Amino acid sequence: MEIKELKTLEEIRIYSDPYRMQIMNEFQRLNRPATIKEVADAMREVPAKVYYHAKKLESIGLLQLVDTKLINGITAKYYKPFKGQINIKKSELDETIVQVFQSETEKLLSHLYDESKQHFLKASRLAPPSAHLTSPSVFLTKEKAEELFQWVNEFCEQHQDDKKSPEAERYEIFFTIAKNSDSSKK
């Protein structure tokens, strides 16, 4: 699995923007190289707005230009999204911006949690309900925790193609794994 490390405040700000996350999600959903216009149309947005934000994502390696085609005299550019693990390297940051870094991280997490909560609530209202939630505590070594995280990511990557099975339906997955920093809680 490829790993992308975000080390600067600017990279983190680019990544943590909720609108840019929507763009990344749309590229992921298409599951093929796509043009900015295709993504803008799918999002019901103006291509110029999506283009501006896509260029920011490209600048930090989260979108990559993979092909160009000349169509009726216009060059169509096809991009693919980064599909690996994204790590934020707090240790690389200057102490004077640690607080801003924390704020950007909280903004990103808040957006991810809220979006996942809405998917869950919507699916739980279906008949029959089509949402599952679990919140166990497990005891793992650091290596086992990393192995679990990688396994979930690889499983999701293997099942991103909706053409593999005609019966397959789209599910939204939000997965976190975090060490309990309060050792007295078990």
Side-chain angles (χ1 to χ4, degrees):
M1 174 187 297
E2 195 175 344
I3 297 174
K4 175 81 177 150
E5 290 187 347
L6 304 180
K7 298 177 183 177
T8 69
L9 184 58
E10 182 62 19
E11 290 173 334
I12 294 161
R13 281 188 169 149
I14 289 169
Y15 175 65
S16 66
D17 182 90
Y19 187 74
R20 293 179 189 137
M21 293 212 123
Q22 290 175 5
I23 293 169
M24 289 295 292
N25 288 340
E26 196 57 43
F27 271 103
Q28 296 283 358
R29 191 187 69 71
L30 290 171
N31 200 32
R32 62 171 171 76
T35 66
I36 300 298
K37 174 140 178 36
E38 288 175 302
V39 170
D41 288 349
M43 294 175 65
R44 295 180 178 95
E45 289 282 356
V46 178
K49 180 179 180 182
V50 175
Y51 178 81
Y52 170 81
H53 292 282
K55 290 311 260 179
K56 294 281 190 178
L57 291 166
E58 183 183 21
S59 75
I60 62 169
L62 295 181
L63 280 181
Q64 179 183 8
L65 178 65
V66 292
D67 195 14
T68 57
K69 293 180 183 172
L70 193 59
I71 303 171
N72 298 328
I74 298 171
T75 302
K77 296 179 180 180
Y78 291 83
Y79 297 86
K80 73 173 187 176
F82 176 78
K83 286 193 175 187
Q85 180 177 328
I86 298 172
N87 291 342
I88 297 175
K89 287 297 231 180
K90 185 177 176 181
S91 62
E92 302 278 332
L93 298 175
D94 184 319
E95 280 300 314
T96 59
I97 59 173
V98 168
Q99 198 168 23
V100 178
F101 166 84
Q102 188 65 33
S103 172
E104 290 297 316
T105 302
E106 288 174 17
K107 181 173 80 173
L108 170 63
L109 287 173
S110 179
H111 173 73
L112 291 172
Y113 282 124
D114 289 345
E115 193 172 89
S116 291
K117 180 176 78 176
Q118 292 308 314
H119 287 299
F120 179 85
L121 292 173
K122 191 175 181 180
S124 69
R125 292 182 192 115
L126 296 174
S130 197
H132 303 281
L133 176 68
T134 184
S135 183
S137 290
V138 294
F139 292 86
L140 304 170
T141 63
K142 185 176 181 177
E143 292 77 20
K144 286 291 182 186
E146 184 62 31
E147 182 183 326
L148 174 61
F149 186 77
Q150 287 181 4
W151 182 86
V152 169
N153 277 333
E154 288 168 9
F155 181 87
C156 291
E157 282 181 21
Q158 291 170 9
H159 295 85
Q160 282 184 334
D161 187 356
D162 64 350
K163 296 170 186 81
K164 287 184 178 178
S165 169
E167 301 87 31
E169 297 180 86
R170 184 173 176 180
Y171 286 81
E172 299 297 331
I173 295 175
F174 179 73
F175 176 79
T176 64
I177 184 168
K179 180 180 170 187
N180 186 334
S181 60
D182 183 3
S183 61
S184 65
K185 290 184 180 179
K186 300 222 177 190

